[in-house]
Amino acid sequence: MNTDIIIKNLSLLTPELIVTGTLCFVLLGHAFDRKNSQLYVLLSFAGMLTALFTLTSYIGVKSSVFSGMLNVDPFATYFKIVIVFATLVILVMSRFSDEVNNETETVGEYYFLILSMCLGMMFMVGASNLIMMYLSLEMTGLTAYVASGFTRKAKDSSEASLKYLLYGAFSSGVMLYGISLIYGLTGTLNIAGINHVLLQGSANGWALSIASIFIIVGFGYKISAVPFHYWTPDVYEGAPVTITAFLSVASKAAGFAMMMRAFKVMFIDSSAVSVLAGTWTFIHGVQIQNVLIILSVLTMTLGNLVALWQDNMKRLLAYSSIAQAGYMLLGLAVLSNDGFAAVMIYFVVYLFMNLGAFYVVMLISNKINSEHIDKYKGLGRKSPFLSVALAVFLISLTGLPPTAGFIGKWMIFLSLINAKMIALAIIGVLNSVISLYYYVRVIRNMFLRDEQEAGERMTFPYAQQILLLSLLIPTLYFGLFFNQLIEFAQFSVAMVGVK
Amino acid sequence: MNLYDIIFYFFAVVTIASAAVVVFSRNIVYSAFSLLFTFFGVAGIYVLLNADFLAITQLLVYVGGILVLILFGVMLTTNVVSVEIKTGTMQTLPATIIVALLAGLLGGIVWTTDWFVGKRLSEVTSQTTSKEIGTALITTHVLPFEIASVILLVAIVGAAMMARRERSNTNI
């Protein structure tokens, strides 16, 4: 591998290079002008916008770079767009967040951390070698540990950070053990190479199952699937809202993308003839489909049931995001291209509605300094625009028409029905009904309950309202005009190394 | 049992026994010192496997760097010797069952599996691995190598940020 090849490979990584350059500039800027947070936001925003722009020119590119370490394919590009877009929203959100702006000393590092988390996630979605997967997972993890303990005053924040770190260290240790087992079985770390060796059928089934389950532990932690979810509520509550929102959307998207690629490339049995077009099966001996089904049912049921008792908005949204991960795992468990496309569609929808919900929570917390659900009483009168927006986001999270959340859920259930997994689809629908209760509780508090003391109207600057609108409009738009999104997702299912 | 096996078992016993002391000792200074033998034993096993570069790195980084750092941390923390570390055992029964099951499963797998064998020690021709590792790091593995450097940058910034926060807290 000579320099020419390296340079050629690097040109396919332009978006990542731009992000890396931006984060270096933010760090340098921090050395000169420590408290100028406007500068960091502008710099980061410009960098991420350029990255997003260059990403669009890679749509359709299908290539493997750096001796199979990383894949640049439509699947990765799709998720990179989701992640970079989420980063852009989070950057603007952070600019408006009192929680972040109060930390004048460390605000530069904050933006540096956001950017490096984004970089780690961009590598996660493309990684096609177990070393790369582990490294990018650690990069995202490390930044997330520090970022979730960002706010100085909150005691919860340090606790969140420590819990996150301990769980993270444990689960990545288990995952690393699984990786070492896989290497011991096959003698390679490249996921396509592993598949090639496994297809020859010499590997011990037990060892393979244990190794794959160990690897699922690492992924499950990242996407906060039950029973690896214990860190989620505490971290989501303790971390600044911006970081919580970022973790719940982008980090989850990256974890899902990595998991989907790992399973689809590593354990697929390409020799088996499948009954339905587009479906595929795992190599004989790998029982991951059952594991995935159990995980998804547990995840959504537990997430929804525990969310019923939550009184803190951040905690409620944390459990709701656990439940949402459960729905998405359903799409994974189908083991078909339809299911994968459904998960990808869901992530775009989820990006807008979940970031929107967290954004409203943040704006309200800026004003009343509380996230308790009782404090939302009478909000419909004090700030009609915010309340209506939050109501739309919550309805969308439930999955009711005419919002985008309906389309996301609809596609997942459709793929389940197509694969004749009716029982699972019914469990999913029942779960949505349960979730309606706690989402509506918030809406009821805002519009139908009077508050004890009469507060005055809340006003918000136009800039903050514009960001809210730009999250609200897509949530409604994709609920009505979804064809292009579905086509784009189905086009982007293609991965390198899969027929 | 030839000399090679005897040396291997020696290092294996040293590693495991000292690791047990690290976990079970109630005095953090004892734990820190017996960690020295754990790292040393692992380095010995690396040497036996012809992994000279790894062995040296293990000594330099873990024994020379991390262990010294831990010892400094222990010594600079006031009253650490006299403070009883909370080392309780909870949920003994479920933990025992799970650990026994997992150990049995993993042990069974280790014994029954046909592990991948790259090169046997007798087939190894090159005298040193440093050259091959060096070449791999800047050719096939250049991307992970560079990403590791970004991770280190992030780790340094994160550590500095948390440390500075502690300091400004004490000032208030």
Side-chain angles (χ1 to χ4, degrees), chain A residues 40-60:
Chain A
Y40 306 133
V41 181
L42 275 179
L43 208 59
S44 324
F45 197 80
M48 296 312 290
L49 212 56
T50 329
L52 188 64
F53 183 70
T54 43
L55 264 180
T56 51
S57 66
Y58 287 99
I59 293 171

Side-chain angles (χ1 to χ4, degrees), chain A residues 18-284:
Chain A
I18 292 173
V19 178
T20 318
T22 315
L23 67 89
C24 290
F25 272 116
V26 169
L27 201 62
L28 275 179
H30 184 64
F32 291 112
D33 192 352
R34 180 175 280 189
K35 291 180 183 168
N36 193 346
S37 66
Q38 198 140 20
L39 173 81
Y40 306 133
V41 181
L42 275 179
L43 208 59
S44 324
F45 197 80
M48 296 312 290
L49 212 56
T50 329
L52 188 64
F53 183 70
T54 43
L55 264 180
T56 51
S57 66
Y58 287 99
I59 293 171
V61 174
K62 205 171 170 186
S63 168
S64 174
V65 295
F66 287 106
S67 356
M69 285 287 163
L70 206 65
N71 282 349
V72 180
D73 48 23
F75 179 77
T77 309
Y78 184 94
F79 273 102
K80 278 179 199 167
I81 291 174
V82 170
I83 287 165
V84 171
F85 192 84
T87 315
L88 279 170
V89 175
I90 295 294
L91 284 173
V92 183
M93 228 170 119
S94 308
R95 181 77 194 102
F96 298 145
S97 164
D98 287 352
E99 233 175 337
V100 174
N101 287 332
N102 284 342
E103 305 284 323
T104 46
E105 284 283 317
T106 46
V107 74
E109 277 113 326
Y110 172 85
Y111 290 107
F112 170 81
L113 286 174
I114 296 256
L115 290 179
S116 37
M117 219 190 295
C118 170
L119 182 68
M121 291 167 191
M122 286 169 86
F123 280 119
M124 270 170 85
V125 299
S128 58
N129 183 301
L130 291 176
I131 291 187
M132 270 304 297
M133 286 189 170
Y134 177 71
L135 268 180
S136 48
L137 199 72
E138 280 299 284
M139 185 164 173
T140 319
L142 265 178
T143 41
Y145 307 146
V146 181
S148 58
F150 171 72
T151 40
R152 188 187 312 166
K153 267 156 279 158
K155 190 181 115 281
D156 298 347
S157 194
S158 313
E159 189 191 329
S161 183
L162 188 67
K163 265 191 185 152
Y164 200 13
L165 174 74
L166 289 178
Y167 277 110
F170 181 73
S171 69
S172 63
V174 173
M175 185 179 173
L176 211 51
Y177 194 72
I179 289 177
S180 71
L181 284 178
I182 294 268
Y183 182 75
L185 286 171
T186 60
T188 174
L189 286 170
N190 186 295
I191 51 175
I194 292 169
N195 182 254
H196 188 70
V197 177
L198 289 182
L199 274 181
Q200 289 158 7
S202 57
N204 180 340
W206 274 96
L208 199 59
S209 303
I210 287 289
S212 53
I213 288 173
F214 277 7
I215 291 182
I216 288 185
V217 172
F219 292 145
Y221 159 79
K222 203 83 220 160
I223 62 172
S224 63
V226 176
F228 317 111
H229 69 287
Y230 289 101
W231 59 276
T232 317
D234 292 322
V235 172
Y236 280 19
E237 190 184 353
V241 189
T242 46
I243 297 294
T244 307
F246 198 37
L247 287 178
S248 72
V249 175
S251 178
K252 213 164 257 195
F256 260 98
M258 200 159 112
M259 190 168 172
M260 285 152 90
R261 184 188 296 279
F263 290 161
K264 194 166 179 191
V265 179
M266 200 152 59
F267 296 133
I268 189 174
D269 187 356
S270 48
S271 60
V273 185
S274 51
V275 190
L276 296 153
T279 57
W280 35 282
T281 47
F282 280 135
I283 291 168
H284 183 69

Side-chain angles (χ1 to χ4, degrees), chain A residues 85 89 249 346-358 393 396 404 470-475 478:
Chain A
F85 192 84
V89 175
V249 175
Y346 204 97
F347 261 111
V348 171
V349 171
Y350 182 65
L351 166 87
F352 290 111
M353 60 192 185
N354 213 41
L355 283 184
F358 273 114
F393 292 135
S396 181
S470 58
L471 291 169
L472 184 62
I473 292 172
T475 309
F478 285 129

Side-chain angles (χ1 to χ4, degrees), chain B residues 39-40 42-44 46-47 51-67 129-130 133-134 137 145:
Chain B
F39 289 153
F40 182 69
V42 173
Y46 283 147
V47 172
D52 51 352
F53 183 77
L54 265 186
I56 298 291
T57 318
Q58 169 85 9
L59 282 181
L60 279 180
V61 174
Y62 281 91
V63 181
I66 293 180
L67 193 68
T129 57
S130 324
I133 290 177
L137 278 186
F145 184 63

Side-chain angles (χ1 to χ4, degrees), chain A residues 1 34 66-67 69 105-106 109 112 116 132 135 139 142-143 149-150 152 161 181 184-185 187 204 207 210, chain B residues 105-106 109 112-113 115-116 138-144 147 150-151 153-154 157-158 161-162 164-165 169:
Chain A
M1 191 161 147
R34 180 175 280 189
F66 287 106
S67 356
M69 285 287 163
E105 284 283 317
T106 46
E109 277 113 326
F112 170 81
S116 37
M132 270 304 297
L135 268 180
M139 185 164 173
L142 265 178
T143 41
F150 171 72
R152 188 187 312 166
S161 183
L181 284 178
L185 286 171
N204 180 340
I210 287 289
Chain B
L105 200 60
L106 289 177
I109 286 170
T112 55
T113 305
W115 294 106
F116 165 81
I138 55 163
T139 52
T140 50
H141 288 66
V142 65
L143 189 65
I147 289 177
V150 181
I151 294 180
L153 176 70
V154 171
V157 172
M161 183 174 146
M162 291 189 133
R164 202 168 66 195
R165 192 178 64 183
N169 266 2

